[in-house]
Structures are given as structure tokens and as C-alpha cells.
Amino acid sequence: MASRSAARPASEEEEDAEGTAPRTRGLLRALGLTLASTLVWGVAHLRVGRRWAGALLLGLFLALAAAGTVAGLFFRSDLLQLAVRPDWLTGLAAGILTLGLLWITVVIRSYQIVRPETMSLGARSAGVAGVILLCFAVALPTAWAGYSTYLYRDALTSIFRTGDSHGRPINIKDPWNGQRRVNVLLLGGDAAANREGVRTDSMTVASIDTKTGDTVLLSLPRNLERVPMPQGPARDRFPYGFTGDGPATPGLLNEVYQYAEDHPDVVPGARKNERGPELLKATISGILGIPVDYYVLVDMFGFADIIDAIGGVKIKITQPISYGLEGGVLQPGDRTLSGKEALWYGRSRTNSDDYTRMGRQKCLLRAIARQADPRTVLTSFDRLAAATKRAIATDIPQELLPAFITLSNRFNDGGQVTSLQFVPPLIYTGNPDFALIRRLAAQAVATSPESASPSASPSPSASASRSTSPQAGRTPGATSSKQPTRQTKPVSLDATCP
């Protein structure tokens, strides 16, 4: 009796083991089919004979995949233009979230139709855990994509406002209103904690050909003196050129921005934080003899945050550069600079001068543009969006962003960048020859080789500018510094960067 009694539990264990194996295989099969349906919709439905539902899901999945592939391969430029339209971004974010919810529904329903009818509590728990894991695998990337799209739209609408700031109509079919060139003033603002206001220590006009995307960079030094002011209250106050606002401001070009902010009467009708850009745009337009359409201001300290967000910037340093108050030195060589180091690389004047610094700033901007690849941007998108909102101000309207994207595409198809810096010995900043500056600017942006040559006569527009703008800073008997002919042509930006 005892032997039979002892043998009975053993036989029951064998029966349980024989029943558990099929149930385990059934659970693994169900999870495998659910995984397959997660990767390709409709697999589970087709496997259990639900042909119409399976075919519908599979067709929808293939249609979405094909549409994404075709758009990425053949309509990339159109996608880039849509990517700067807030209304489309709102729809895209909603579409991504809807897709995520639909995908999760497919995952759950696929498991429901293929799971075994009878399972132990442990098997049911394992099945539910597997489905939850698959749902998370779908939900996390779609939620991240939707959130990133929202962040991008928020940054876009924060930086770029709707409508032209001057009330000019924007024709979508001809956004440049027939202009041969669009001129954008690029400003680097130094709003340090130990100084009041903003000093625009970097001032460059990017003159862009609206047909080809070819760009000429016209750089003005921060210490240009007695610059002629635009007609109106500003010229009435400074008829012989800008002379500053007392002993603390000697009257340099980089002080015009903050002077306008502190003196609303020189830019009547402009609001706070718009007075500085408006007066500086008009002033630089008069200096160069070309219209300045828009501006972009980058705060240097916010700029450091942007560099940190993309993981630093790689650049070649040719000679030691002192930085910081602790006596730090950026050593020569191929280096990856942090935001703080890059800021000092672009700002340091120790054992150097303003003009060398201007050249380093342009090389730094070019290095960042080359290294901010899509992978880097995507992996640090939230930090980059937040830093960009803090660092950038502009009056470029949202409606023009697609047109600027088109110009960028044309430039990438073979456009060229040339640079002309109005620095010594070409221009003496203490007593500038503004007529020469306007003549060289007109030559630099000319399209024909004949008009771009140093011996060419000034264009009519340049002559008109000279006749209407006062020769600020010129004293009786003063002579212009002699300009070497070989330096009057714009040079390639690549030639100045190691």
C-alpha cells in the first residue's frame, strides 16, 4: 500500500509536465506571432485565418511604409519646406500620436486572437508582460517623436514671428518680390554679466543670390568709428556720425544697437527689443550702400549652450589662444571645444586683435554648421531646442522660412561662399573711407566678372549712396588710407579657415 501511495504523486507530476509543455509552446507561439504583427501588421490575423482583417492591416502598413520611403527619397526638399510650417508641424505631431495609438491597438488585438484558450496564472501573467513590453517598444519612440515635433514647433514659433515686421506683403509665389539678392544681417551679441545691455561685437551681412544661393559675407569691425546714421531722428542727433552716449561709450559701431534700446526717441514707433535691430540695420545699410532686409542675433552665452547641446565642436587651432580669467590656454591642434571653450575661442583678443577674432568667429560658425548632422541634432533635440530659444532673435517671418529652405537647397547644389572684411589695412577704422566701403560692397555682390573686378567703376546705386550719405568722421584735409588693389576682391571663406 505504501509503495502504491508513494508512486501516485510521481505519475501526477508526469501528467502535469506533459500538459505544461504544449501550453508553454502555445504561449511562445502567441508571443512570436504578436511580435511579427508588431513588425508587420496583419501577420497574426492572416495566420489564424482572418484574411480580410489581416489583408487590410497589411495593406495599410505597406502603404504607410511606401509613402514614407517615397517621400524621404524623392520629396526631401518638399519635406524640409513643410518642416518650417507650424500648421503642418501641428498636424504631424497629431498624426504621430494617432499612429502610435493605432499601432498599440494592433499589438494588443493580435495577441488576443492568437493566445491559447487555457493558460495557467503564470502563463497569463507572462503573456500580459510580453504584450506590455511590446506596447512600450512602440509607444516610447512614437511619444518621443511627437514630443520632439512639439518642441520643434514651439521653438520655431518662439523665434520666428508671423508676418513681416514692416507690414510688407509676402507673396508665396515670389517671396523675394523680384529682388536679385536678399541681405540678412548676422549679429553676435555679447550680453555679459559684467556689462549693461548688448554689444554687437560681430556684424556680418550675408548677401544671398535668390537664384543660385551664392552668398557673399560682408563683415564690419566692431570698432568702426563715426558711422553715418540713417535719415531721421538718429541723423538729426548725430549729423556728423555716431559719437556715442558719454565717456563710457566712445562711439563705436557695436554700441549703436544698445543706444537705440536706451533712447526710444531715435527710433520712433519701434517697440523694446526692436529698436536696436532697426537702427543697426538702417545704419549698416547706409555704410554698405545695400538694403538690409532682415537680421539674426545670436547671444554669445546662449551660443555656448547650443554647442554643449550638440556635444562640442571640432576645430583646428593653429596657435595658443588665452581664455578665461584663470589663465587658461587653448593649445594648438585638432580639438573638440566645449561651449565655454568655443565661446572664448570666438571672443578672445589676448595677444590678438578684433580682426583675427572676426576670422575665428566665422570659422567657428562654419565648423558648427558642418558638424550639426541629423544624428547629433536628433539625439540632443530637447536641449538644442531650449538653447536655441534662449540664444536667437530675428525678424525673419515664418512665411519666408520655406523660401530660405529653397535657397539653402540651391546653395547645397553647388553654391559658393565668399567673404570680404572691412578691416585694416583695407579700411582704417578710426577714420573710415565710407565711399570705398560702399564701392567694394557693390563690387563684391555683383554677378558679372567685369563688375566684380577691382578696376570697375562703382555701380549707380553705390554712387547714389555716396551722394546722399554724409562722410562721417572725415575731417578737412584728411586722406583715405591707401588700399592695396589685391585686397579689394572677396575671398573664399575656406581660404581663411584651417
Side-chain angles (χ1 to χ4, degrees):
M1 294 289 293
S3 61
R4 285 199 298 266
S5 174
R8 188 170 183 176
S11 63
E12 290 176 356
E13 291 176 2
E14 290 174 1
E15 290 176 2
D16 290 342
E18 290 174 358
T20 300
R23 287 197 295 268
T24 302
R25 288 195 296 270
L27 175 62
L28 293 177
R29 172 181 173 275
L31 291 176
L33 287 172
T34 305
L35 174 61
S37 286
T38 303
L39 300 176
V40 180
W41 297 355
V43 171
H45 289 74
L46 292 173
R47 184 67 180 83
V48 298
R50 303 193 178 196
R51 296 180 180 177
W52 284 107
L56 178 62
L57 288 174
L58 181 60
L60 179 59
F61 179 83
L62 293 177
L64 290 173
T69 302
V70 170
L73 292 176
F74 302 105
F75 298 97
R76 187 172 302 176
S77 60
D78 297 310
L79 291 177
L80 289 174
Q81 293 196 22
L82 295 179
V84 292
R85 293 183 55 178
D87 52 342
W88 279 86
L89 292 173
T90 300
L92 177 61
I96 291 173
L97 295 178
T98 301
L99 176 63
L101 292 175
L102 176 60
W103 208 321
I104 290 173
T105 302
V106 171
V107 172
I108 295 174
R109 185 55 184 159
S110 297
Y111 178 71
Q112 288 176 340
I113 64 175
V114 297
R115 66 185 175 184
E117 293 183 0
T118 59
M119 289 188 294
S120 65
L121 178 60
R124 285 197 299 270
S125 300
V128 171
V131 172
I132 290 175
L133 185 62
L134 290 175
C135 289
F136 267 106
V138 170
L140 288 179
T142 52
W144 177 85
Y147 177 66
S148 296
T149 303
Y150 167 78
L151 286 180
Y152 173 63
R153 182 192 180 282
D154 179 61
L156 191 72
T157 55
S158 297
I159 296 171
F160 301 95
R161 61 181 144 191
T162 302
D164 192 286
S165 60
H166 300 286
R168 294 171 297 192
I170 299 175
N171 184 348
I172 302 301
K173 294 183 179 180
D174 182 17
W176 310 122
N177 292 322
Q179 291 178 234
R180 185 174 62 85
R181 309 191 73 89
V182 58
N183 303 312
V184 182
L185 175 59
L186 309 177
L187 302 172
D190 192 352
N194 60 350
R195 71 164 49 163
E196 295 182 5
V198 176
R199 299 294 184 271
T200 53
D201 285 347
S202 176
M203 291 164 283
T204 298
V205 172
S207 181
I208 309 168
D209 190 303
T210 56
K211 300 298 183 183
T212 65
D214 289 347
T215 302
V216 178
L217 301 178
L218 304 171
S219 300
L220 293 167
R222 60 181 286 277
N223 58 340
L224 207 63
E225 297 183 29
R226 291 188 174 272
V227 295
M229 304 302 286
Q231 290 184 351
R235 186 178 295 183
D236 293 340
R237 182 166 301 180
F238 300 104
Y240 302 106
F242 182 66
T243 54
D245 192 24
T249 55
L252 307 181
L253 179 59
N254 72 333
E255 301 165 9
V256 171
Y257 182 103
Q258 190 59 41
Y259 183 88
E261 290 296 329
D262 295 338
H263 299 81
D265 53 314
V266 298
V267 193
R271 295 176 294 183
K272 181 178 175 59
N273 297 325
E274 295 180 359
R275 296 189 287 265
E278 286 301 315
L279 183 59
L280 188 57
K281 283 167 55 180
T283 300
I284 290 180
S285 176
I287 294 172
L288 296 176
I290 61 175
V292 175
D293 301 296
Y294 305 102
Y295 84 94
V296 178
L297 170 66
V298 179
D299 175 73
M300 289 299 182
F301 286 85
F303 188 65
D305 293 336
I306 292 177
I307 293 175
D308 284 333
I310 64 173
V313 58
K314 296 178 181 178
I315 203 161
K316 184 178 181 64
I317 299 177
T318 57
Q319 60 184 4
I321 299 174
S322 301
Y323 78 97
L325 302 178
E326 297 81 16
V329 177
L330 299 176
Q331 297 294 344
D334 295 319
R335 296 176 55 85
T336 299
L337 305 182
S338 66
K340 178 181 177 182
E341 291 171 334
L343 181 62
W344 279 102
Y345 173 84
R347 295 178 69 240
S348 177
R349 288 197 299 268
T350 305
N351 301 323
S352 175
D353 55 30
D354 280 330
Y355 318 117
T356 302
R357 182 174 73 161
M358 288 169 62
R360 288 201 306 265
Q361 289 171 352
K362 288 178 177 56
C363 294
L364 182 62
L365 291 173
R366 189 169 184 83
I368 293 170
R370 285 177 171 174
Q371 295 167 39
D373 56 90
R375 181 184 63 82
T376 301
V377 172
L378 288 174
T379 54
S380 56
F381 192 82
D382 52 346
R383 293 178 59 202
L384 188 58
T388 302
K389 286 171 60 176
R390 293 192 301 269
I392 296 179
T394 182
D395 63 349
I396 295 176
Q398 293 177 13
E399 294 85 350
L400 275 186
L401 292 179
F404 274 105
I405 291 293
T406 299
L407 281 184
S408 176
N409 292 334
R410 291 173 182 171
F411 173 79
N412 292 333
D413 289 338
Q416 296 181 345
V417 178
T418 54
S419 178
L420 177 60
Q421 300 186 28
F422 297 103
V423 299
L426 183 62
I427 296 296
Y428 173 51
T429 58
N431 188 25
D433 187 339
F434 292 107
L436 177 61
I437 291 176
R438 287 189 288 272
R439 184 168 69 250
L440 296 181
Q443 292 173 356
V445 300
T447 56
S448 64
E450 294 78 8
S451 60
S453 64
S455 60
S457 58
S459 64
S461 60
S463 300
S465 297
R466 288 199 307 276
S467 63
T468 58
S469 300
Q471 297 300 311
R474 302 298 300 274
T475 57
T479 59
S480 305
S481 58
K482 293 183 179 180
Q483 318 302 334
T485 302
R486 59 182 175 83
Q487 296 194 39
T488 59
K489 289 184 180 180
V491 297
S492 170
L493 186 58
D494 287 327
T496 64
C497 297

